[in-house]
Amino acid sequence: MRFDTAPSPHLPPANSVSRLMLLVLLALVPGILMQWWQFGPGVLINIGIAVVVAELAEAAVLSLRRRPLKPFLSDGSAALTAVLLAVALPPLSPAWMTAFGTLFALIFGKHLYGGLGYNPFNPAMVGYAVLLISFPRHMTAWMPPADLLPQAPGFGDTLALIFQRENAPVFDGLAQATPLDTLKTQLGLARGVDEIQSVARIFDAIGGKGWQWVNLGYLAGGLWLLRRGLIGWQIPAGFLVTLFAAAMLGFLFDPALHPTPLFHLFSGATMLGAFFIATDPVSAATTPRGRLLYGAGIGLLVFVIRSWGGYPDGVAFAVLLLNLAAPAIDYYTQPRVYGHGS
């Protein structure tokens, strides 16, 4: 009697690509809800635009490459890239700008290198960096959080503003600098951190008003990913501990020029970057020690860029620069093979 034996591996993978992408999208929900609460429905509209454009771009490029559409369109990778880019954009970003960033992320950040699994850079951050360099005025104009906005636009008004319709309503004070941007600008005017934070209403007890809740939402989603074992602890821990330590040293050295470590952790894109951007399994370091060094490098660069760089946040550029270093980090942190070496 003949018994057919399948080749190894004989155990199915615990997480398929599509299931992994779906769970990461679910983990983003708390942060997205916080953004909706604090900055209105623009984040949901941006996500819708980005996902539609991403799926169309994915289908078009796959057709040009003569690759099957169904397996790649249904794996959720294009949608996840689109969502990660959309949540990083200001809530009232023009629709054309969201579409342009998404197209650039999918085509130049992903498919020019061979598609899913071959991209050396995080595609969402490639799209974000291009938008930040090309359209800095739009990218730094965030809505004030709900507590500071006297009249928040509803869903229909937000839709009209994003698509820049001629009959779009006019609201006062819809754009202002972020807490990180405000701090950097005012420090450049020789003002101290305490003076800036006591005068500007954008600051709250821990981080920036509104941003601290958004960061708490992404922290909750990230901890859920860790609990499910979908991401390793090394990259978020290396990122957050190094950023905290560097910020603490700066704060202890000169508190007039450096805000508290908690301000760094709960402002800007810190938690989104630590748990959802830096942990991209394709473009990040892969060895256990390498992941720690990789996360630490991102945390240190974020502090350096925020403190002395030309941009107020720096998560996107820090991730892209460490993407460049990931192969070298992996090379020098290979674990010892059992029975070889000392």
Side-chain angles (χ1 to χ4, degrees), residues 236-270:
F239 183 157
L240 297 177
V241 169
T242 304
L243 177 59
F244 183 91
M248 179 60 81
L249 286 175
F251 178 71
L252 293 175
F253 179 74
D254 192 348
L257 290 179
H258 297 282
T260 65
L262 285 179
F263 177 80
H264 277 283
L265 293 185
F266 292 96
S267 295
T270 301

Side-chain angles (χ1 to χ4, degrees), residues 125 180 184 238-240 242-244 246-247 258 261 263-274 277-278 294-322:
M125 290 302 96
L180 286 170
K184 181 177 280 292
F239 183 157
L240 297 177
T242 304
L243 177 59
F244 183 91
H258 297 282
F263 177 80
H264 277 283
L265 293 185
F266 292 96
S267 295
T270 301
M271 296 300 171
L272 177 68
I277 305 289
Y294 176 86
I298 293 175
L300 183 61
L301 272 179
V302 167
F303 174 74
V304 169
I305 294 172
R306 285 181 179 180
S307 300
W308 300 287
Y311 291 94
D313 197 339
V315 170
F317 292 115
V319 169
L320 292 174
L321 287 171
L322 263 294

Side-chain angles (χ1 to χ4, degrees), residues 289 334-342:
R289 279 194 303 137
Q334 289 292 324
R336 184 174 68 87
V337 178
Y338 183 72
H340 293 265
S342 57

Side-chain angles (χ1 to χ4, degrees), residues 69-111:
L69 296 184
K70 186 176 178 181
F72 292 103
L73 287 179
S74 60
D75 65 14
S77 61
L80 180 58
T81 297
V83 173
L84 288 176
L85 174 62
V87 299
L89 299 179
L92 295 180
S93 297
W96 59 265
M97 202 175 81
T98 305
F100 175 73
T102 307
L103 282 173
F104 201 94
L106 264 291
I107 296 173
F108 290 88
K110 179 180 178 183
H111 280 287

Side-chain angles (χ1 to χ4, degrees), residues 114-141:
L116 181 64
Y118 296 96
N119 48 287
F121 303 101
N122 185 300
M125 290 302 96
V126 171
Y128 181 85
V130 166
L131 290 178
L132 188 60
I133 294 170
S134 305
F135 312 106
R137 186 172 64 86
H138 289 94
M139 291 293 286
T140 53

Side-chain angles (χ1 to χ4, degrees), residues 183 186-187 189-200 203 255-256:
L183 190 68
Q186 295 296 317
L187 284 172
L189 299 175
R191 293 177 176 167
V193 172
D194 284 344
E195 179 188 358
I196 298 167
Q197 292 184 334
S198 62
V199 173
F203 299 100

